[in-house]
Amino acid sequence: MEKECYTEEFINNKQLNESEIANGKIVLDSLPRILMMVLTTRCNLECIMCSRGNPRRDLTIASEKVKQIATLFPYLEAIDWQGGEVFLVDYFKDLFIEASRFPNIDQSIVTNGLLINDEWLDVLINSRVNLTFSIDSVEKKTYEYIRRGARFEALLDNLKALRAVNIKNNNPIQLHLNAVVMRSNYKELYLFPGFCQDYGIKHLRFDFLRPDVAKDEDVLIKSDADAVEYLNNILPKIEDECSKSGIWFEYTLRPFLASTNVLSGGPAAKKQPVRCKLPWKKIFIDASRDGAARPDCLCEHSIGNINTDSIEEIWNSKVMQSYRQRLVDGNIHDWCSRACISHAVDTYQLEGGNY
């Protein structure tokens, strides 16, 4: 984005925010610069490791509650839209198009990719957007086992159509792929770089399985020795192949592959303090928690709720002030997520970077 695209109010808010971060201010006059929203728990799939879906509950943030976040659009650098499956939300298209009017916003959508039709392709191709596909396997049998209710052929058809439209329009859509590493797929990870090349995907990320879901699939937190040995062998090869192909590769598995696995309860290696700016820059609003807000999805404590509180009340709530104060004081080890403390979350993310 060219600098002249930025409005004065965007620039002023960013400068004020950076000043408040540098001075360790706890109650902010600046407004959020990053927004992450889980709009719904509704989904067209029932993935074996999903922590948000619940077949007995359909939790979607009401459109009138979401409208208030539009007041933040002039100040935001990035919005990350998630579900469930966001393409099932009836108001999402209008909301996305409205946010696209603001050149300061980089929008990201996390999706299983199965509901992107021609109408949505037209919208996406005329927007600046990052699409992250949650796929988990590029082998039909494994993919359909993990992502229950999906058809692998339908995914491939959509990826082919998207790539064709993207190439025709000089690649305005940035394509990303995220896979959760688990027992069912870890021996297939070597296939991902070739798959990314085939479909024009330029960013590949492997993530760890969250500790509260699909415990039989866990090979990292409990440190399955064979899986850890395999991953320590294969990941450098995948990294090398991605580098040669111009694919940005990252993974959040390093703390689980070392001899001191913090989340498994093993002795923690001595680490540098967590550097985190997210409570000064970001709000995460989660439909799966009935609209509760946090600084980020891994944070432990709610800072408010979009169903009962205004954005302004959430942004400077007592709990959000506690996050900021504790980070300033370095007093986080009984407060922040173990994933952050163990450095399973990288510094780029903790400082508010977006992809």
Side-chain angles (χ1 to χ4, degrees):
M1 184 187 349
E2 298 295 330
K3 186 174 181 180
E4 55 265 30
C5 291
Y6 297 140
T7 64
E8 186 175 353
E9 58 188 339
F10 173 81
I11 293 170
N12 289 344
N13 184 69
K14 182 172 182 176
Q15 289 175 341
L16 176 59
N17 184 252
E18 289 294 339
S19 173
E20 290 178 329
I21 292 171
N23 289 298
K25 192 171 180 182
I26 306 306
V27 179
L28 306 188
D29 294 314
S30 61
L31 294 170
R33 292 161 57 189
I34 303 170
L35 176 68
M36 180 177 177
M37 292 201 71
V38 175
L39 291 175
T40 185
T41 60
R42 289 182 64 200
C43 194
N44 51 324
L45 304 180
E46 293 184 18
C47 301
I48 63 173
M49 70 298 183
C50 182
S51 61
R52 291 178 182 156
N54 186 324
R56 294 182 297 279
R57 296 200 300 169
D58 172 7
L59 299 176
T60 300
I61 297 174
S63 59
E64 61 267 22
K65 297 298 181 181
V66 172
K67 283 178 184 176
Q68 66 172 306
I69 67 101
T71 62
L72 296 177
F73 287 172
Y75 310 99
L76 292 173
E77 297 175 356
I79 306 176
D80 188 356
W81 306 109
Q82 296 190 25
E85 179 54 57
V86 291
F87 292 116
L88 288 170
V89 177
D90 55 5
Y91 61 74
F92 177 53
K93 187 176 294 179
D94 290 339
L95 188 65
F96 178 85
I97 291 171
E98 174 65 16
S100 298
R101 292 180 50 245
F102 293 83
N104 45 285
I105 301 176
D106 287 318
Q107 295 192 83
S108 299
I109 299 174
V110 179
T111 175
N112 57 48
L114 296 170
L115 300 180
I116 301 176
N117 55 25
D118 290 342
E119 186 177 350
W120 259 110
L121 272 180
D122 287 340
V123 172
L124 296 171
I125 210 70
N126 289 300
S127 306
R128 186 178 59 260
V129 63
N130 294 277
L131 281 182
T132 296
F133 295 97
S134 298
I135 293 179
D136 305 307
S137 176
V138 298
E139 292 279 89
K140 174 180 168 63
K141 183 177 179 181
T142 308
Y143 170 82
E144 293 181 354
Y145 169 73
I146 294 172
R147 299 203 155 257
R148 292 179 177 173
R151 284 182 57 251
F152 190 59
E153 292 81 5
L155 172 70
L156 298 186
D157 287 344
N158 278 5
L159 288 175
K160 288 172 187 174
L162 179 57
R163 187 180 187 195
V165 170
N166 213 22
I167 290 172
K168 183 178 178 181
N169 290 274
N170 298 315
N171 297 301
I173 302 173
Q174 299 298 309
L175 303 180
H176 309 251
L177 191 156
N178 190 68
V180 177
V181 175
M182 61 189 92
R183 189 173 304 281
S184 292
N185 69 358
Y186 78 87
K187 290 186 178 180
E188 301 173 1
L189 298 181
Y190 72 95
L191 298 170
F192 277 91
F195 185 88
C196 289
Q197 281 186 278
D198 289 343
Y199 293 99
I201 295 166
K202 295 299 184 181
H203 175 208
L204 173 62
R205 173 187 170 99
F206 294 154
D207 203 0
F208 61 89
L209 186 72
R210 297 303 188 261
D212 56 340
V213 296
K215 293 182 179 179
D216 291 343
E217 288 287 338
D218 170 47
V219 295
L220 291 169
I221 294 174
K222 294 179 182 176
S223 297
D224 180 299
D226 291 338
V228 168
E229 181 181 5
Y230 180 87
L231 290 167
N232 273 318
N233 252 332
I234 200 66
L235 286 170
K237 297 175 184 176
I238 294 172
E239 192 163 26
D240 184 57
E241 186 175 350
C242 285
S243 177
K244 290 175 180 176
S245 304
I247 297 168
W248 175 20
F249 175 59
E250 61 172 337
Y251 55 95
T252 62
L253 316 180
R254 285 183 177 87
F256 308 98
L257 303 179
S259 58
T260 52
N261 179 342
V262 176
L263 293 191
S264 71
K270 199 167 186 178
K271 294 181 179 292
Q272 295 297 316
V274 173
R275 296 167 57 195
C276 181
K277 297 180 181 177
L278 293 180
W280 284 267
K281 299 174 80 170
K282 182 176 181 179
I283 290 179
F284 165 58
I285 297 170
D286 190 358
S288 72
R289 293 187 172 101
D290 292 302
R294 297 167 189 244
D296 188 62
C297 58
L298 287 174
C299 294
E300 301 281 350
H301 306 286
S302 173
I303 58 174
N305 192 299
I306 196 172
N307 292 318
T308 56
D309 307 315
S310 69
I311 291 292
E312 292 79 11
E313 289 169 334
I314 292 169
W315 185 230
N316 278 312
S317 70
K318 293 298 183 184
V319 181
M320 187 63 122
Q321 291 179 47
S322 291
Y323 269 109
R324 294 168 186 150
Q325 189 66 63
R326 284 172 175 268
L327 283 161
V328 168
D329 296 342
N331 180 26
I332 62 171
H333 288 275
D334 61 344
W335 184 262
C336 287
S337 165
R338 285 188 296 165
C340 295
I341 292 169
S342 70
H343 290 241
V345 181
D346 60 37
T347 300
Y348 182 65
Q349 289 176 271
L350 292 175
E351 292 191 343
N354 46 79
Y355 301 104

